[in-house]
Structure formats: structure tokens, C-alpha cells
Amino acid sequence: MPNANEDNASALSQVQRRAVSELLRVSPVADDLARRFQEAGFTLALVGGSVRDALLGRLGNDLDFTTDARPEDVLKIVRPWADATWEVGIAFGTVGAQKDARVGDAVQRFQIEVTTYRSEAYDRTSRKPEVSYGDSIAEDLVRRDFTVNAMAVALPEKEFIDPYGGLDDLAARVLRTPGTPEESFSDDPLRMMRAARFAAQLDFEVAPEVVTAMQEMAERLEIVSAERVRDELNKLILSAHPRKGLTLLVQTGLADHVLPELPALRLERDEHHRHKDVYDHTLIVLEQAMALEEGDPDLALRLAALLHDIGKPKTRRFEKDGRVSFHHHEVVGAKMTKKRMMELKYPNELVKDVSRLVELHLRFHGYGTGEWTDSAVRRYVRDAGPLLDRLHKLTRSDCTTRNKRKAAALSRAYDGLEERIAQLQEQEELDAIRPALDGNQIMEILGVHPGPVVGHAYKFLLELRLENGPMEHDAAVSALKEWWTEQG
């Protein structure tokens, strides 16, 4: 039976074989660029996530390089060679480029970033790193966040550079820092969130000393801009294993500074009087929502699943019969969702969509076994609007009961609702519910000018449409005139 050392050696040989294969694939573009740097008297190395992903057998066409050339020299080398260049990150020593290159029988597009050897550190009151350039690759690698991202391959000779044991940590699937965690996190506190993000993306464990430093230094995250925090949170939520990263954020106290509503969910009971906390329920809902995704990960759906119950702590009540209630937690939760997402500088449209999903996530529970009228179904569709498909997924995911009979009944009820929606959509064009008369027709029939009365009339006709379904033109005109007479 193989021992641990043999297992590790086997894992290393596997990742090394994968790396050779991946590096051979990108050699046409990487080696060509490296020779141009050599001719100009500089060095070039593939670095960081690109090397890590090559070792994992998942290197894409986004390539990261590091060099001793200063940014202005990088531009002189890259501009004549690349199909396009950009200087968005040049203040931080990074030049971006795009290059189409033939790989085998096909032309592939590569997105390239070349960064000058550097070191960066945060002032304790600053939100922006102070960048200074270095002169050696070892100096550059020690400033990187984790050992698995502190490996390089010097080009074009393909010399593997791993001064901090990144290859061993990659084989062991563990996240450690090249220097001490305290030094690394002091340089850039966002790296604490990156630890949780990489754990979620790669399904790696975080070394105990790194976790301890995260716990002790969590407050340092306060100096990082909301935009940078949000971007890391998005990458974590969109990863393959978000529960792992979110759990780490909560355990280390980082969530208290990023998404305090999440740890606040660790309550004793939910509204069904079950002995499970709402926090664990939320993580299950997130995973169940992910299972219903079609295609790429859906950030709006995942955020809604994560935040759908955050109104519960504020609305929890202990009833006289011993039950626990959370009346209107969806309304309170929608307001809390909007506030938190705005503080994290999310786009307005995403804030609107996620808070609306949170607000609507309980609506289905009034459906019962199909007691809704057609009018109620129409209103459900109207209120969900373009979010209807996501609302379907969120509502289905919100069932985490272990009672198989109850779960099956809920699933059948929602199947029934979706069937009724489909039938009404086919009959009535539910996706574009509008009255039989538009604003211009209303003004002509009533003999009025633009103003509030037109809006009131339109709303009356819309309610009539929702209540009764499609109306013929003449019937709508009669109803409008009758309503107008009643207005006096």
C-alpha cells in the first residue's frame, strides 16, 4: 500500500505532466514574446495563476507574465508584436495585450498581461497600494498572495522557478503564503478574502496559520475599497464551491466586515419550527439554486439565494404557542439587500433584480395546492416580469425540508403553477400584459390632456386586464367610460 510520500510524488508527477502539455500548447505565443524580450536585453516568465492553472491542467488563453523590464520598455516591445495593447494598469506596472496566434490547425486569441517585477504594500490608512518595482523574480514572487501563485516558468528555456514550495502545496491542495501570513495580509488585506475565494474556486484547504491570521487581522479589511471587496466576493459566489469560501468568511470573522447579514442568520429555528439554523438553510438553498442553473453561473440568482432570508433576524418573534415566526421577512430582507448591495457598489440594475427576487421569494407559498385564481397567476407573472425564470429557480431551491412527502407536495404544486403559467402565456401573451387601450386612446376617448388622470385610467384598465384576462376593444372602451363617470 503506498505511503503518503509516494502519494505526494505521484500527485507531483501528474501535475508536472499536465504542465508540460499545457505549456507546449501556448508555446507558439509565449516563446515568440519571450524571444523579443531577450533580444531587447530583458527576461520574461510565465507567472502566478497561469503556472498554477498549467499544473492543474486548466490553463486558458489568459496568460500572465512578469519581467524585469519597466512598463515603458514593455510597451516598446509589445506594441509592434501585439494586435492590440492597453495601458489601464500601467500605473501598477501592468501592460495588457491581445494576440491572435496559430496553435495547431486553428488560430486562437490570447489575452496577455505583462507586469514588471514589483512589491506593493498598504499604508494602514490607505485604500490603494504603493507600487515599487523590483529587480529579481524571487523578490517579485515573495510578494504574491499564496505559494501556489508564487511559481514561474522562465521563457523560452522553460526553467521552473518555485522558491516557496508552491508545487508541493498544489499537490497537497493547500493554501499557504510565501512569507508569514501576517506580512502578506498587512501588505494587502484583500488577500484574506482571496484565501476564501481560492478555497472555493479550487476546492483547496487553507493552512491553519493562514486561518489564524485571517481571524486576527479581519478588521484590516476595512481599509480596502468596496469595489475590490465586491469583486472578490463575486468570484467566490460564482465559484464551483461557494459554501466552502462563505463558511471560511464566517468562521474567520471576515463576513462581519463584508456581509454581516450572513453570520447573523445563525438562529436556532426557522419558521417551520425545525431545529436547523437559517444560516445552514441558506447555504443549502444556494447550492440547490446552482444545481438548477442552465449554462454559466448566474450571479443574480446566487446572490438572491444567499440573501433571501436576511430579514429573518430582524423579524423573529416567539409566539405564545411556542412557534417562531418571521412575518414580512421578505419585505424587510429586500430593503436590507438593497442597502448592502449599494454599500458594496453593485450596479443599480443588479441591485434592483436581486432585491426584487428576495421580495418575491415567498409569494408562491400562498398558492397552496392550486387555489390561486387566473388573476393571481397573472399578477405573479406581472410582478416577476423578466425575473420569472430566476424566481422559479429560487422558489424551488427554497425547499430544504427533509420530509420527503412535504417536499414532493411542494414540487408538484410548483409544477402545477408553471403549467398554468405556460397555458395562460399561450392564451394571453402574459409576458407583455397591458391594457386594451394605450395612453393616447385613453386621452382621445375621455377628451383629456396628458396628466395624472391618464395614469389613473391606465392603472384601472391594467387591473381589469389582470383580473379578467384579455378584453375586446369595445368592452374596454365601455369599462373606461363607466369608470370615468364614477370619478365624477
Side-chain angles (χ1 to χ4, degrees):
M1 189 172 177
N3 60 34
N5 290 334
E6 289 172 342
D7 287 344
N8 199 43
S10 175
L12 285 174
S13 65
Q14 287 178 17
V15 296
Q16 287 165 331
R17 282 195 297 272
R18 285 196 294 265
V20 169
S21 174
E22 293 289 275
L23 292 173
L24 285 174
R25 183 181 67 81
V26 303
S27 283
V29 65
D31 289 352
D32 185 20
L33 184 59
R35 280 190 287 269
R36 291 172 183 271
F37 273 79
Q38 267 188 340
E39 291 167 3
F42 300 108
T43 62
L44 187 74
L46 196 69
V47 73
S50 291
V51 176
R52 179 199 70 221
D53 288 345
L55 291 164
L56 291 172
R58 48 183 269 181
L59 180 61
N61 285 8
D62 291 354
L63 304 178
D64 294 328
F65 297 92
T66 189
T67 180
D68 56 348
R70 295 302 189 252
E72 58 271 18
D73 295 314
V74 174
L75 275 173
K76 289 178 185 176
I77 298 168
V78 171
R79 270 180 177 154
W81 171 82
D83 298 312
T85 59
W86 51 91
E87 303 174 31
V88 175
I90 200 163
F92 300 101
T94 299
V95 172
Q98 179 180 297
K99 178 70 174 177
D100 292 343
R102 181 166 290 280
V103 178
D105 297 330
V107 173
Q108 296 185 18
R109 175 160 294 177
F110 291 86
Q111 302 294 333
I112 290 163
E113 287 192 348
V114 182
T115 302
T116 302
Y117 298 156
R118 68 189 189 192
S119 60
E120 61 186 28
Y122 269 79
D123 180 89
R124 288 200 171 270
T125 60
S126 172
R127 287 179 178 268
K128 295 183 179 180
E130 299 172 0
V131 176
S132 59
Y133 298 127
D135 296 308
S136 72
I137 195 164
E139 184 182 4
D140 180 79
L141 293 178
V142 75
R143 60 152 285 276
R144 294 183 178 261
D145 48 13
F146 302 105
T147 59
V148 295
N149 296 328
M151 299 178 283
V153 177
L155 299 171
E157 59 270 23
K158 307 289 193 302
E159 177 193 351
F160 184 59
I161 303 170
D162 181 23
Y164 305 105
L167 187 60
D168 288 330
D169 286 342
L170 193 72
R173 304 179 69 82
V174 65
L175 291 171
R176 301 183 194 278
T177 53
T180 69
E182 291 78 11
E183 289 173 338
S184 181
F185 297 156
S186 182
D187 283 349
D188 185 353
L190 190 67
R191 289 174 176 171
M192 293 184 284
M193 281 202 68
R194 283 201 198 117
R197 187 249 291 186
F198 283 124
Q201 284 183 329
L202 303 172
D203 196 18
F204 279 22
E205 299 303 318
V206 180
E209 69 274 13
V210 176
V211 173
T212 298
M214 291 166 70
Q215 291 170 329
E216 293 175 349
M217 301 179 68
E219 288 186 3
R220 283 278 286 150
L221 197 62
E222 295 287 347
I223 72 164
V224 181
S225 70
E227 291 86 351
R228 295 184 74 214
V229 169
R230 175 204 63 209
D231 290 347
E232 281 299 322
L233 183 63
N234 284 350
K235 291 173 185 176
L236 189 163
I237 291 171
L238 291 170
S239 71
H241 309 279
R243 174 192 276 262
K244 192 164 197 170
L246 293 167
T247 299
L248 188 59
L249 290 183
V250 171
Q251 288 176 343
T252 57
L254 285 167
D256 294 335
H257 304 277
V258 178
L259 201 63
E261 296 81 2
L262 185 61
L265 291 176
R266 290 177 292 185
L267 306 176
E268 293 177 359
R269 300 181 181 188
D270 70 353
E271 73 272 27
H272 303 298
H273 202 54
R274 298 287 186 266
H275 289 270
K276 64 180 181 184
D277 63 35
V278 183
Y279 168 73
D280 189 56
H281 162 79
T282 294
L283 296 180
I284 295 172
V285 172
L286 172 59
E287 290 176 328
Q288 292 184 165
M290 289 167 57
L292 295 176
E293 288 175 335
E294 301 161 8
D296 294 333
D298 185 339
L299 182 60
L301 176 63
R302 293 191 183 194
L303 282 168
L306 186 62
L307 301 172
H308 77 283
D309 273 349
I310 62 171
K312 283 189 170 179
K314 283 192 175 182
T315 58
R316 181 167 62 159
R317 297 289 182 272
F318 295 95
E319 305 295 350
K320 292 179 181 179
D321 61 2
R323 294 176 68 255
V324 181
S325 68
F326 302 93
H327 294 308
H328 306 301
H329 77 267
E330 72 281 12
V331 177
V332 173
K335 292 177 181 177
M336 293 172 64
T337 295
K338 182 178 180 180
K339 182 174 183 291
R340 176 56 53 198
M341 290 184 68
M342 288 180 69
E343 288 181 357
L344 287 170
K345 305 299 176 66
Y346 276 98
N348 290 337
E349 196 62 29
L350 186 60
V351 174
K352 179 182 174 183
D353 287 349
V354 175
S355 56
R356 186 64 167 155
L357 286 168
V358 172
E359 183 181 1
L360 293 174
H361 83 272
L362 274 190
R363 180 77 69 86
F364 163 71
H365 293 284
Y367 185 73
T369 56
E371 287 84 359
W372 278 3
T373 61
D374 285 352
S375 171
V377 175
R378 291 186 194 102
R379 293 174 194 279
Y380 186 78
V381 173
R382 188 272 308 268
D383 291 347
L387 299 172
L388 182 63
D389 184 58
R390 286 191 177 107
L391 184 58
H392 286 331
K393 293 182 174 71
L394 177 61
T395 303
R396 287 186 180 276
S397 303
D398 196 23
C399 174
T400 61
T401 178
R402 295 179 183 176
N403 184 321
K404 292 182 179 180
R405 184 178 297 176
K406 184 175 181 180
L410 283 168
S411 181
R412 282 195 303 272
Y414 210 84
D415 288 343
L417 175 57
E418 287 192 336
E419 287 172 10
R420 287 183 63 187
I421 290 173
Q423 291 168 0
L424 287 172
Q425 281 174 328
E426 186 177 343
Q427 296 165 11
E428 304 181 11
E429 299 182 10
L430 278 192
D431 294 334
I433 291 179
R434 58 177 61 87
L437 305 174
D438 62 23
N440 289 328
Q441 290 170 313
I442 290 170
M443 286 188 289
E444 182 181 344
I445 292 166
L446 299 184
V448 297
H449 297 292
V453 70
V454 180
H456 294 319
Y458 188 90
K459 185 177 181 181
F460 162 74
L461 290 172
L462 179 59
E463 288 297 317
L464 211 57
R465 166 69 174 85
L466 288 166
E467 191 65 34
N468 301 322
M471 295 183 71
E472 295 293 338
H473 177 82
D474 291 347
V477 170
S478 296
L480 177 62
K481 288 180 176 178
E482 185 178 340
W483 171 83
W484 184 237
T485 300
E486 291 172 355
Q487 301 310 301

